[in-house]
Amino acid sequence: MTLIANPIYDSVFKYMMEDDRVAKILLSALLQKDIIDLQMKPHEYTEMMQTRISMLRIDFAATVRNQDGSTQLILIELQKTWLTTETLRFRQYLGTQYLDKKNVLPKDVNPNGYGIPIVSIYILGHKLGDLEEPVIYVRRNYLDYNSNPITDGVPDPFIESLTHDSVIVQIPYLKGRLRNRLEKILQVFDQEYCLKDNEHLMELDEEALGDDGRLIVGRLMKAAIAPEVRRAMEVEDEILSEIEARDTTIMLKDKMIEQKEQLIERKDQEIERKSQEIEQKSQEIEQKSQEIEQKSQEIEQKSQEIEQKSQEIEQKSQEIEQKSQEIELQNSLIKNMIQILSRQGLSAAEIAAQLNLTEEDIRRYWDGV
């Protein structure tokens, strides 16, 4: 068993990739292509400083040999992170590579101004969604409308300038897999081999990694005893500790904010419910008011009808009273005429004849005299 520095640390990974032979071994295994020439582009490190995410980026210009024997110049954009990060960070950096004029060959060899093809490699210390394969290749295909492969004129430099292939490594899914040359080499990233009491160091069997793996292990053995690398790992731990403490504080604050938002939401819901109840009560009161108004109008109408009937009755009473007075006056006159005619010595029959009454009427008036 051999002790090596843990290449998940940015400082160790950078130290490892600065060795030209090691970089060629790892990148050729990832690309599944023979690398004829490899040049690390200067000043392309982006190390973890006092930021939220640990991310190391190294760019290479590589001349590779294709399966048909042809050679091709490509740019390799290598990004490594050991904490979960947003894809926007990767996209932003990738965008800078497309915009960089240095990634376009001179006009004398590239009259059309096509960009150098890019291959992006992501070495992740975390898992992606439901994908459980340790190494994932994302390769483009030239297809026609019916999804049939296009072979003539492929690859096209215009398309190659605007699109790219990707290789994604999920370190958590390595877990001792030795199915091929690449997985053997990648065992140096498998965190299952970390020492229990010191994550800076890993212990693994270099014989199981093959010749290429032993070269990488040798470089990582040197990193394990290099004072500047060991100190850099300690600095990374300190920074990560600060990041974790800050993120914990942020997480707690976010949780408090979420709880307060939930409380506010419940209050809003309660206020909304109360408002609906008040609105419903208002509608009921409005309906009752309309019913009362309608009843009042009906009562008013009935009162008017009763008043009209009362006036009609009063008028009838007055008419009856007037008739009664007229009848009483007429009766009084008839009685007086009967008395006068009776004093003159006329009989009941004669009086009835003169007054155009019956004798029975004369007797009734007579009895009343």
Side-chain angles (χ1 to χ4, degrees), residues 98-296:
Y98 275 107
L99 291 173
D100 192 346
K101 294 181 179 179
K102 292 184 293 184
N103 293 334
V104 178
L105 292 175
K107 284 286 186 180
D108 55 345
V109 295
N110 181 28
N112 293 319
Y114 295 129
I116 302 173
I118 296 175
V119 177
S120 58
I121 299 176
Y122 304 101
I123 299 178
L124 308 178
H126 58 86
K127 299 177 181 179
L128 294 175
D130 298 326
L131 293 170
E132 297 183 0
E133 191 64 27
V135 183
I136 301 162
Y137 288 88
V138 181
R139 290 173 175 159
R140 297 154 299 144
N141 292 313
Y142 290 66
L143 307 174
D144 64 13
Y145 179 80
N146 297 313
S147 298
N148 298 315
I150 298 174
T151 57
D152 294 337
V154 174
D156 178 78
F158 177 83
I159 295 175
E160 296 298 307
S161 296
L162 299 176
T163 60
H164 67 278
D165 293 338
S166 297
V167 183
I168 301 167
V169 177
Q170 298 185 93
I171 292 176
Y173 286 119
L174 291 172
K175 292 187 176 179
R177 296 192 183 189
L178 302 169
R179 297 174 299 180
N180 51 57
R181 171 176 174 252
L182 175 60
E183 288 184 352
K184 290 178 182 180
I185 292 174
L186 292 177
Q187 288 306 300
V188 297
F189 292 98
D190 188 350
Q191 299 302 293
E192 296 290 324
Y193 298 123
C194 285
L195 297 184
K196 300 300 182 183
D197 57 348
N198 186 357
E199 292 186 352
H200 293 181
L201 299 177
M202 302 171 67
E203 187 177 31
L204 47 76
D205 181 9
E206 64 177 304
E207 296 300 324
L209 307 186
D211 293 338
D212 291 336
R214 281 194 290 271
L215 284 173
I216 296 176
V217 166
R219 181 65 176 175
L220 293 175
M221 288 173 62
K222 292 180 180 179
I225 60 175
E228 68 276 11
V229 175
R230 298 178 65 174
R231 176 54 187 159
M233 284 192 284
E234 293 174 357
V235 171
E236 288 186 44
D237 284 339
E238 292 172 4
I239 295 174
L240 179 61
S241 177
E242 293 179 9
I243 292 172
E244 288 178 341
R246 185 190 66 184
D247 287 351
T248 300
T249 302
I250 292 173
M251 182 181 65
L252 291 175
K253 288 183 178 179
D254 288 343
K255 189 173 183 180
M256 290 177 61
I257 292 172
E258 183 180 358
Q259 290 175 346
K260 288 185 180 296
E261 288 177 347
Q262 291 176 351
L263 179 60
I264 292 172
E265 184 178 356
R266 288 198 297 269
K267 290 292 185 182
D268 289 341
Q269 291 175 351
E270 185 176 350
I271 291 171
E272 177 66 19
R273 183 174 59 83
K274 291 291 186 183
S275 298
Q276 291 177 353
E277 291 178 357
I278 292 172
E279 178 65 20
Q280 184 177 357
K281 291 294 184 182
S282 299
Q283 291 176 355
E284 292 177 357
I285 291 171
E286 177 66 20
Q287 184 178 356
K288 291 293 184 183
S289 299
Q290 291 176 355
E291 292 176 356
I292 292 172
E293 177 67 21
Q294 184 178 355
K295 291 293 184 182
S296 299

Side-chain angles (χ1 to χ4, degrees), residues 29 41 63 100 148 157 165 172 199 272 275 309 323-324 337 341:
K41 298 183 70 176
T63 301
D100 192 346
N148 298 315
D165 293 338
E199 292 186 352
E272 177 66 19
S275 298
K309 291 293 185 182
K323 290 292 185 183
S324 297
M337 291 296 296
L341 294 174

